[in-house]
Amino acid sequence: MSQVPASTLPPVLPNRGTAKVKSVLSGDTVVLLGRAADGKRAPEVTFTFERVTAPRMASKANNNVDDPGAFPSREWLRNICVGKTVTFETRKQGATAGDRVYGLLFMPDPTDKSNTWNLSVESVRRGFCTPKVLGGETDTPETEDTNGVEDYEKSLQIAYKEALSNRVGVHAPQPLVRKIINAGEDFPAMTLYEKSKRLCTNSSVICVIEYVFDGSRFRCIVTDPDLETAGLLYGSFTLILAGVGSPRLGSARSNPPTPNEPYAAEARDFVELRLLQRELKVSLLGTDKSGVCLVGTVHHPRGNIGAEILKNGLGRISDWTIRMMSPGDVPPLRIAENAAKRANLGVFENYTPPKLTGASEFMGTVVEVLSGDTLLILPNGEIYDDDSKLKKVSLASIRAPRAGNEKLGKADEPYAMECKDRLRVLTVGKLAKVNIHYEKEIPIGQNKTEKRQFGTISVAKKDDIGEILIAEGLATTQRHRDDDEKSSRYDDLVAAESMAKAANKGVHSQVEYKKKTINDLSDPKKAKTYASSLQRAGMTKAVVDYVFNGSRFKLFVPSENCYIMFALSNIRCPQPSPNPGASTKGQTKAAEPFGDNSKRHSRLNVMQRTVEINCTGVTQGGVMTGDLYVGSGAQRRDYSVELVACGLATVDQRKVDYGEAPKILVETQTSAQKNKLGIWSVEQVKKDMPETKAYERAEERIVDIQVSEIRNGNTFFFRVVGDESAQVIDNSMKIFTETNGTDGAPCDIKVGKVVASLFNDGSSNAWYRAKILEKLANGKVKVLFVDHGNVATVKAASQCRPLDVALSTESVPAVAKEAQLALTKVRSITEEDGVEAARMFQQAAWGKDLKARLHGESDGKVLVTLYESDADAPSINENLVAEGLAIMGKKYEVYEVLDRMGNSDSLAKLVKDLKAAQEKARSSRKGMWIYGEIPEEDED
């Protein structure tokens, strides 16, 4: 026989001593608990009464059915000694006793403290145990100490006869035979929950805590007589302690074995000492997701066991179970957990409060609502001179319905639009108090994250905007992991959500959600169809949904249930910078001076505000034009006047020339000019002007060119006919191709670097000089062929290779020059008129030797007047304008070009010719003039 490891043997007890009764296994067996020493767990030993036997308790081995009288036997012993200190005498232990100790237990008589009970004798007297030998002589082994055995045996026999005569315990005519039924197998756990609410006093079930799995999960037996009629008496179920989650114990039986989580054993010991085999009341709150385990609160006479577990750091608050508790029962748990965190006890031994990158509290103005739970706020004291000054804050522990994504084919979640709009009404433009609770890294794109702050936002008398959204059923509380940081008002949010659920509000409604369909009039055809209706409506309320620039917006008109593009009719705001990350297709120039200032002013003052509009017209591009008013009562103001007064907009010069501009706007602009505000600040305008270079009179020459690439109706690349450098570079690249073949080679791929790139001209592949414009996904790059002007997307690995030093652009400058038809503006090629302009330009210029008058450079482009043959014939510039496919720049733009290009005679003549051509196109309603005047918004 193999030797049993010492670690598995029970502790050796002295012949006599004291111990605490941890639990009672049956009417004749208990578990004794010794004293812990040197930080070790307290020793335990299974102790069985000597020379008596009790009926066998129910187990799987006997089909969960007790021997007659087994349960009352165990219950009597459990009631009088669990948790009490007893005196023991050992009679047999060690190898001859197996895994337990045999002996006697003594404790004071509960009714007479001067008397001492021998528990085995008292158990026999009550019929809960029987002597192993009935009426005969003792069969004590010779090796056993017989001191006192005969007296003990006589006491057992006397007690036995007394029990027989009284017909008690197992000697009763019909001893109790209990059958254990298990939740999930013999009855649904939900049935016990529902019956307890209806049948039990105060809806609390009387149970015995039979086993402790860990600090927050127990096996319970129903002993409540109120449930006997429901057939649930002696029902066995697993109870999850509401509001608390303790560390889990590992398992040596699993494969591979799993270790205990930190403080799991301590948590179980803590609970066993206080709850194990106590008969207590339990309030059931519901079931877990599996429907097998019940969630509830244990009522202990000496306090809240959940709070005690948390206070000692032996568990964390369980988010999903605490939601099932009454709101009034939650604060003690939060207080207990916070105390353990501050003291770094138990599972919180390494806890540190969340570190914030900024202030934990600040005041600011809400500028924009990005979604149903995220806002942009301008802190008090900050000057809004850059979008980086805005703080992005999300509502802590709030989950708003998510907006969809048309590109990904995702629809809005129900109530996403309503939640965002309610948050807008509550906050935008108002002074808010923000308390930051925690920060998180939030993914914002492929492999990108941003650190987002989460907090509670208060506006005026509304202490928590998030709570209002939840109470109205427009948002829900965030399901946090147990160790996540959360809002300090989390329990209030959960309570508000419970009330919203009970009232079936919003997202909790049982009625099928029907999304409100809004008519989008941003399409030009639709806009023109509805234009007359909006004009007849007169003054109409609208909500500013988006700001494109200082005077151009996307509006939602509730009364018409539509979105419209809207521009202020009498003014023009400078062009702002394109949005970061947005496509710059069609964006041919940088922001104009004070363009960003003007846009920021509108974002701060009208973004997402309710305004009044008066539509007076519609542009060819489908943009409604008119007046816009902000505020109400004495604060109501004409927003056009406000922009002009701040020097952030100019009055439409054509309307000034024709005397059509409102007098108040003209006077306001004059005042802003005198005070040199905004765009009238001369020094600032000069500082922000694009870099230009005027050719001297001798340099302003006419040259023969060929167009090598057309970008749109007035922008192109050209090569000078007979240019020796062009011939040199063409020949050199042919030799480069013949020398290196057409296989790619590793090279330094950086934006702005010039490399050799492979291009097929229709006959064969060849290498050309190319400038890298952008790195794309899948190893591709966008390049500009600098000697021709065309742009292509190529594979970096197989279609690029390093250039020889002698072929660099430093040695031989780019042959193709980017140019623009002087003093003309055309629509983008994404619009019909823009496509027609590009086609007309192509027919006039492609594949021909042209005459070009070079005036100077602006923003890296050569300004030219282009002729098909003779410089005395009408120019291509003039022909495009005459067909209504291009227009002249605004008066101040024309004067600016004349001033910076040296006021040359050729430019002056061009201005005169273009004016005549434009007047001809306007009067004959050609091209862009088909509907009459072109509003200034359309020109942009």
Side-chain angles (χ1 to χ4, degrees), residues 18 52 69 105 111 115 123 136 286 346 466 646 660 718 728 804 841 869 897 932:
T18 60
V52 300
L105 289 183
T111 60
N115 185 33
S123 179
C646 296
E660 298 175 359
F718 71 89
V728 169
D804 295 342
F841 182 44
S869 55
V897 172

Side-chain angles (χ1 to χ4, degrees), residues 139-152:
D139 54 350
T140 306
E142 295 181 1
T143 58
E144 187 177 315
D145 181 8
T146 62
N147 184 28
V149 171
E150 290 184 4
D151 293 340
Y152 171 57

Side-chain angles (χ1 to χ4, degrees), residues 16 24 115 128 144 162 173 186 188 214 216 243 246 260 358 393 398 456 476 483 506 508 657 728 733 779 805 903 935:
R16 190 174 180 85
V24 177
N115 185 33
F128 296 133
E144 187 177 315
E162 185 177 339
D186 302 309
D214 57 45
S216 57
S246 287
N260 292 347
V393 179
I398 302 289
T456 297
T476 58
D483 55 347
H508 311 295
D657 294 342
V728 169
M733 293 311 296
V805 177
N903 288 306

Side-chain angles (χ1 to χ4, degrees), residues 2 132 171 216 227 281 312 554 562 650 872 884 910 939:
S2 61
K132 288 186 177 179
H171 313 299
S216 57
L227 290 174
K281 289 185 177 181
N312 288 275
K554 181 181 180 182
C562 66
T650 57
D872 294 327
L910 179 62
E939 295 179 19

Side-chain angles (χ1 to χ4, degrees), residues 753-807:
K753 188 174 181 64
V754 178
V755 298
S757 184
L758 207 60
F759 184 80
N760 192 324
D761 61 2
S763 58
S764 62
N765 283 329
W767 293 104
Y768 297 89
R769 297 193 300 175
K771 181 179 180 180
I772 297 173
L773 300 178
E774 184 181 357
K775 283 184 173 183
L776 304 174
N778 302 323
K780 294 182 179 181
V781 292
K782 183 182 286 187
V783 298
L784 166 69
F785 291 98
V786 297
D787 298 317
H788 298 273
N790 56 310
V791 174
T793 298
V794 299
K795 295 180 180 178
S798 60
Q799 293 177 279
C800 292
R801 66 180 304 122
L803 264 177
D804 295 342
V805 177
L807 297 177

Side-chain angles (χ1 to χ4, degrees), residues 330-386:
V330 173
L333 302 185
R334 293 287 179 200
I335 294 170
E337 184 184 61
N338 290 335
K341 286 180 176 179
R342 288 193 298 271
N344 292 110
L345 294 177
V347 295
F348 301 110
E349 61 181 342
N350 297 318
Y351 173 79
T352 55
K355 294 181 180 179
L356 304 177
T357 55
S360 61
E361 182 178 310
F362 67 91
M363 301 287 289
T365 302
V366 178
V367 175
E368 182 181 356
V369 171
L370 300 178
S371 67
D373 56 12
T374 303
L375 311 91
L376 291 178
I377 302 173
L378 179 66
N380 283 359
E382 293 281 2
I383 298 174
Y384 186 25
D385 54 5
D386 192 272

